[in-house]
Amino acid sequence: MYQWRKFEFFEEKYGGKFKVPEEITGEIKCCSSGRGKVAIGCDDGTVSILDRGFKLNYAFVAHSSSVLFLQQLKQRNYLLTIGQDEQISPQASAMCLKIFDLDKTQMEGTSTSAVVPDCVQILRVFTNQFPEAKITSFLVLEEVPPILLIAIGLDNGSIYCIKGDIARERITRFTLRVENASAGHAAITGLGFRNDGPAIQIFAVTPSSVSLFNLQYQPAKRQTLDQIGCASKSVAMSDRSELIVGRPEAVYFYEDDGRGPCWAFEGEKKFVGWFRGYLICVIADQRSTKNTLNIYDLKNRLIAHSATVNEVSHMFCEWGNIILVMADKSAICVGEKDMESKLDVLFKKNLYSVAINLVQTQQADAAATAEVLRKYGDHLYSKQEYDEAMAQYIHTIGHLEPSFVIQKFLDAQRIHNLTNYLEKLHEKGLASKDHTTLLLNCYTKLKDVEKLNYFIKNEDGVEHKFDVETVIRVCRAANYHEHAMYVAKKAGRHELYLKILLEDLGRYDEALHYISSLEPSQAGVTVKEYGKILIEHKPRETIRILLRLCTEEGKLAKKGSLNMLPSPVDFLNIFVHHPRSLMDFLEKYTDKVKDSPAQVEIHNTLLELYLSNELTFPSMSQYSFNGSPDDKETISPVVAALPKPSSYGKLSLDDDEKSRAIRREKGLRLLQNAWPSDQEHPLYDVDLSIILCEMNAFREGLLFLYEKMKLYKEVIACYMQAHDHEGLIACCKRLGDSGKGGDPALWADLLKYFGELGEDCSREVKEVLTYIERDDILPPIVVLQTLSQNPCLTLSVIKDYIARKLEQESKLIDEDRRAVEKYQEDTSAMRKEIEDLRTNARIFQLSKCTACTFTLDLPAVHFMCMHSYHLRCLGDNEKECPECAPEYMSVLEMKRSMEQNSKDQDQFYQRVRNSKDGFSVIADYFGKGIISKTKPVENTSSSSGL
């Protein structure tokens, strides 16, 4: 072990002024620490409790004679002591086990020695079943509170065990025996507990053996681990539950299966201990009376601290320090330095590998480890050992900023090292887009296609650890198109894959085939993005793909799932420069799908294409020639714009006229078919259709739409604008027949049109007057006023019409005169009858009741209408004739209703306006006495009426 380096990772605390308090006068027999306190037992039976800084807190008498062993519990603030007490009888042993509760103390006097903790239990160590012997070791294991397991080692090779709730004396006792213990070598010099799951194991050390007892078995199963042992105080337990045995030739470690590692530290081991992963040994110096304190770091194979000390009587650890109590009651407190101080020592000596091992074994945080690795890398870099430096920098990935390393190796032009670092950065998934770009640039500069293939085409199934878009962008820029396509395809970035095919390589057929292989939803997205390029170069194939996407060959349409398919409207933007292809696509779609949810939008688009006068997009010039398809596709807009020979120009003009006529015929057919007679609304936007027809002067479409919308005035307005008199009259014959639901008022508009025409239209006027006269649409005076505005019309045009109307009026006047005379005669007869009723008596000669037809007897009631009734037959109503009352009431109700209606002037004027003869309506109101009725004049003695 002479090759191990020595460092000063520990330092002495309190500047050498650390010592046992002077109040402790007896000889120190035992020490224990825990819960921030130190307990010291002396030969005078006192126990002293020291706090931080080795200051006396209080002391109390635990035993009457001597305190041999004590242990401070960790889970509860209990102190267990073994010591000599007064002997009660010659047969009873004076060795007692006491348990003190340090949380419960009593004051006895004013001094510190007057504080006495409660003694919760006293047990006799030795009984009749457990004969007395010298106690050589003592150890307590805290199980689940309040259960304790106490092991007491004796000089005869036996171990007395007490288990249970000691404070309540609910205990069991049993003995463990170390066999084959020769005389004088059977004393138990050390004990140790080991928890192996639910099983509890006890290590037992004698000067000649190491044994292990398994308490899971009854009786306990014993196993001999070694045939050599050690003296007292040279036994300890590591934090991994390993037994540590110190012998003059070496220090041995034991586990439950036997001896483990052995460390050849020579010298007699006075004390052995374990502290935070360090092995502590107090070794006797054979050449002097001094001892050496060595603290070993076994993982890093170094001596963390070495110091010469006097004779040590006790050693324990508390407050994060190692405390040695000397035989002369002086003390040494040794504490570990902080990590930064230890690393500074190593850095000054350039011992970076030791520093790395140190931070790793002491479980320092990752940031601290990375900082050590960085300094080591900087040291190697300064020595121009670039490969070794990069190896250290790679270990810092995730903690050290990558730009720090990248900048160093860019300056040094160490592209191979830089590539290695960037590869590791990607493997750990910590690379940014810039790192990916830099790595790919390194590959392309080195022309290392093999590494590029491995980076991109890694077949190990590991998920991509780079930014896909960055890789594709760099590979495209470096003309590694196949690599870019591979990444895009593997990552499912179909749009990028197609972008390379179409924009970089121009492989349109392959792009179409790839789109066909995608899922419908993905294919739809890619077509929307790159459809313009595909339509320009492969229109027919692209249209076939679109039809398959939107119809799926009719499979889903049959199942009623048409709503799940994409709509053709979603792809209209890709045809922005190719209207003929759009028209072809929509026509084929409507042929396959009859009930699309987007019918209205599709029909609107088709109408716009059908009705437009010219399709003047540059790409459509190819359709003006009769060459092969290849020739058509290679014609550029510039060539198409060049002047053509006159024969070609004439042919192109004729073809354009034919194409326009065909499209308009399709448009009219679409207008008619998409508005069936049994539907109120069409399968297109009517307002848009009217605008398109007006913009493109499509009269046939306008006439159809206006007629379907029953806008008859707009229909005849179209004929008027075209001066189509024959069509105008034929339209009025069809739409002005009231018997067939038409509007006769159209003839009046037609007459007004001819009256304002300003040209000779006698024949048309005569025909119009025939229908006006037949349906009595206008009064003759209005006809004369309307036609008088046309200076080209003569009186001969309307002479016959006026003669017939005058003859009709004469006949009507005669009929009215005869009716007036009849009404006057009836009125005179009524007035005479009224006067007779007022002046002359009426003779009632009826002999039977009108109601019951029985003989009329008194009391009887006679009415002026010559009806007579028994009084009993009339009931409660004696003032009205039951026979005549209904007719009279109906007349009154009619008069009352007319009076009520007369109050509504709007209704009166509406009837006047809508009537062919407004004067007849006014006369009717006068005749019914509605208008002529006047209110009586108040506060006068007489009244008169009109």
Side-chain angles (χ1 to χ4, degrees), residues 18 24 55 65 185 246 260 306 340 368 397 438 498 519 531 607 812:
F18 198 70
I24 302 176
K55 302 298 182 182
S65 179
H185 295 85
S306 181
E340 185 177 357
I397 292 176
L438 185 57
L498 290 170
E519 291 291 328
L607 284 174
L812 290 175

Side-chain angles (χ1 to χ4, degrees), residues 487-512:
V487 173
K489 188 172 184 179
K490 190 171 183 180
R493 301 297 297 272
H494 311 296
E495 71 281 1
L496 296 177
Y497 184 87
L498 290 170
K499 190 172 187 177
I500 300 168
L501 278 178
L502 296 173
E503 296 181 2
D504 297 342
L505 303 177
R507 286 146 56 171
Y508 306 108
D509 292 329
E510 186 177 344
L512 288 169

Side-chain angles (χ1 to χ4, degrees), residues 702-716:
L702 278 175
L703 292 175
F704 171 77
L705 292 171
Y706 287 149
E707 186 171 343
K708 289 291 289 186
M709 298 170 67
K710 299 189 183 303
L711 300 175
Y712 299 142
K713 292 185 182 294
E714 281 73 8
V715 173
I716 63 173

Side-chain angles (χ1 to χ4, degrees), residues 17 38 40 42 45 52 188 220 243 303 327 434 437 457 467 585 613 670 673 771 863 887:
K17 297 180 180 181
V38 173
I40 297 177
C42 299
R52 183 177 290 273
I188 304 299
L243 178 69
I303 299 175
D434 295 332
T437 303
K457 301 181 179 181
D467 184 73
F585 166 55
N613 288 325
L670 176 60
N673 295 337
Y771 290 97
F863 292 96
E887 183 179 358

Side-chain angles (χ1 to χ4, degrees), residues 546-607:
L546 287 174
L547 288 173
R548 189 161 59 250
L549 285 174
C550 296
T551 63
E552 209 174 52
E553 304 299 336
K555 293 179 182 178
L556 291 178
K558 294 180 181 178
K559 298 180 181 179
S561 302
L562 199 60
N563 290 330
M564 300 173 60
L565 297 174
S567 171
V569 179
D570 300 335
F571 303 100
L572 294 184
N573 64 311
I574 70 174
F575 295 94
V576 63
H577 297 301
H578 304 273
R580 291 188 185 273
S581 297
L582 174 60
M583 187 167 59
D584 183 27
F585 166 55
L586 294 179
E587 286 176 347
K588 290 179 179 178
Y589 176 80
T590 53
D591 290 341
K592 288 189 175 185
V593 181
K594 303 299 182 183
D595 55 350
S596 170
Q599 272 185 322
V600 174
E601 292 84 355
I602 294 172
H603 289 162
N604 290 341
T605 306
L606 278 174
L607 284 174

Side-chain angles (χ1 to χ4, degrees), residues 826-898:
D826 294 341
T827 303
S828 299
M830 290 180 183
R831 287 176 177 174
K832 184 177 180 181
E833 184 178 0
I834 292 171
E835 184 65 25
D836 186 46
L837 288 172
R838 288 177 176 175
T839 57
N840 299 325
R842 302 283 285 188
I843 300 174
F844 300 98
Q845 298 178 345
L846 290 177
S847 60
K848 292 183 178 181
C849 177
T850 304
C852 63
T853 67
F854 288 105
T855 301
L856 193 66
D857 55 4
L858 297 176
V861 179
H862 304 279
F863 292 96
M864 291 297 183
C865 59
M866 301 309 292
H867 293 139
S868 300
Y869 300 89
H870 292 111
L871 181 61
R872 63 179 179 273
C873 292
L874 289 176
D876 297 333
N877 192 1
E878 301 177 0
K879 296 182 179 181
E880 290 182 347
C881 173
E883 188 74 19
C884 301
E887 183 179 358
Y888 177 67
M889 291 301 296
S890 64
V891 173
L892 287 179
E893 183 65 29
M894 185 183 302
K895 187 176 181 181
R896 190 181 300 111
S897 175
M898 289 188 294

Side-chain angles (χ1 to χ4, degrees), residues 303-324:
I303 299 175
H305 180 72
S306 181
T308 302
V309 295
N310 296 324
E311 184 179 355
V312 179
S313 62
H314 300 279
M315 182 179 72
F316 53 88
C317 301
E318 187 60 33
W319 308 306
N321 299 319
I322 303 169
I323 300 172
L324 303 179

